[in-house]
Amino acid sequence: MSKKRDLVGQKFGRLVVLYDTGERKNGNVVWHCKCDCGNEVDRRSDHLTSGATKSCGCYNRERAAEVHTTHGMARQRERHPVYLAWHDMLQRCENPNFTTYKDYGGRGIRVCEEWHDAKIFIDWALANGWREGLTIDRINNNGNYEPSNCRWVTRKEQARNKRNNHLITFNEKTQPMAQWAEEVNISVQTLSARINQYHWPIERALTEPNYRRK
C-alpha cells in the first residue's frame, strides 16, 4: 500500500489543508480545508492535487456573477441553456451536496481547468455544435469534462452512452445493445433474449433474421 501524501499546511487555489478527516473516498484521503473566504470544507486529495477543486465554492459563485454581468448568458429569471449546462456540470463534479455528485465527482470525474471559466465554455459550446435541445455528453463515460472528450447530443443519444448500458462488440465496433438493435432492425427485447436468455454467440444474435409467425 502506497504511503499517504501529507498535504497539511499546503495551499491549493484558495484552500489551505488543515487536517486529515480520517474519511476515505475511492481510495483518496478526505482533507479538512479552510478557504480564503473563511469557510471550512472537506475535499478529496485527488481533487485538490489535480486542480479540480480550488475553493469552497466561492470561486464558481464569483465567476457566475461575473458572467451574469459581462457575458449576457446569465439572467436571474431567464438563463441561457448553455450557461445552465455549465453550471450543472460544475455542480455534478464539485458539489458533494448535489443530487448526482456520487455519479460524477464521487467517481473522480472532473471539469478541466479552462472550463471553470464560463465564458470559455460558452464560446466552445457555440463553436462546437450546440443548439437548442442538445445536452453535453462525454464520449468516454469514465473521462473528464474537457473539449477532447465532449460533444453535444440529443437525450436519446446520451442515454445510449450511459455507463450502465450493455455494450456489445462485433466486427471491431462497440456500441450499446439498443443501438445494435436499431441497426440490425430487431427489437431490444429480442436481442437481449438471444444473448442473455438463449446464450447465442454475438455474431448469430446480430445477424440472424427475426422470423415471425404469420
Side-chain angles (χ1 to χ4, degrees):
M1 184 175 180
S2 60
K3 185 179 180 181
K4 181 187 78 175
R5 179 183 173 186
D6 189 359
L7 303 184
V8 172
Q10 295 189 43
K11 189 169 185 179
F12 300 90
R14 299 181 180 184
L15 297 172
V16 175
V17 179
L18 299 181
Y19 58 83
D20 178 354
T21 65
E23 184 180 358
R24 302 292 183 269
K25 287 186 178 180
N26 290 354
N28 291 283
V29 178
V30 178
W31 300 92
H32 189 75
C33 309
K34 186 171 184 177
C35 186
D36 286 350
C37 70
N39 287 335
E40 296 190 11
V41 292
D42 294 339
R43 292 293 183 261
R44 282 171 34 174
S45 57
D46 59 332
H47 289 179
L48 292 169
T49 57
S50 69
T53 298
K54 295 179 175 297
S55 71
C56 66
C58 61
Y59 174 80
N60 291 335
R61 290 193 293 271
E62 290 171 10
R63 293 297 301 130
E66 182 181 339
V67 172
H68 175 78
T69 57
T70 63
H71 197 277
M73 279 291 189
R75 297 182 292 276
Q76 271 189 322
R77 296 185 180 179
E78 186 182 353
R79 290 179 175 176
H80 194 282
V82 176
Y83 176 87
L84 291 176
W86 170 79
H87 176 270
D88 289 348
M89 173 182 67
L90 286 175
Q91 290 294 302
R92 290 193 294 272
C93 294
E94 299 185 5
N95 181 1
N97 297 318
F98 198 66
T99 53
T100 56
Y101 174 83
K102 63 181 177 62
D103 296 319
Y104 294 88
R107 290 203 298 124
I109 305 301
R110 298 185 292 272
V111 178
C112 69
E113 178 71 23
E114 60 184 308
W115 279 2
H116 280 76
D117 186 320
K119 185 180 185 303
I120 292 177
F121 175 79
I122 290 168
D123 288 344
W124 171 84
L126 298 180
N128 285 274
W130 176 85
R131 66 177 186 273
E132 193 76 36
L134 297 184
T135 61
I136 191 167
D137 178 59
R138 283 168 298 122
I139 298 168
N140 173 3
N141 209 262
N142 293 313
N144 295 326
Y145 282 100
E146 55 192 356
S148 62
N149 192 44
C150 288
R151 58 189 174 184
W152 294 97
V153 299
T154 64
R155 293 191 181 280
K156 180 179 180 181
E157 290 170 319
Q158 189 175 52
R160 288 173 173 169
N161 195 33
K162 287 184 178 179
R163 63 192 176 104
N164 58 357
N165 277 348
H166 185 162
L167 296 178
I168 297 174
T169 300
F170 177 61
N171 284 343
E172 299 183 353
K173 181 178 180 180
T174 301
Q175 57 188 16
M177 181 182 293
Q179 196 164 345
W180 276 117
E182 184 175 318
E183 190 169 303
V184 300
N185 197 29
I186 61 175
S187 70
V188 175
Q189 291 80 5
T190 297
L191 183 55
S192 177
R194 288 178 173 185
I195 295 172
N196 299 317
Q197 184 177 348
Y198 304 123
H199 306 294
W200 286 13
I202 295 299
E203 181 176 5
R204 182 186 176 193
L206 290 172
T207 59
E208 186 161 319
N210 185 24
Y211 298 107
R212 295 182 179 178
R213 289 183 182 176
K214 295 184 179 179

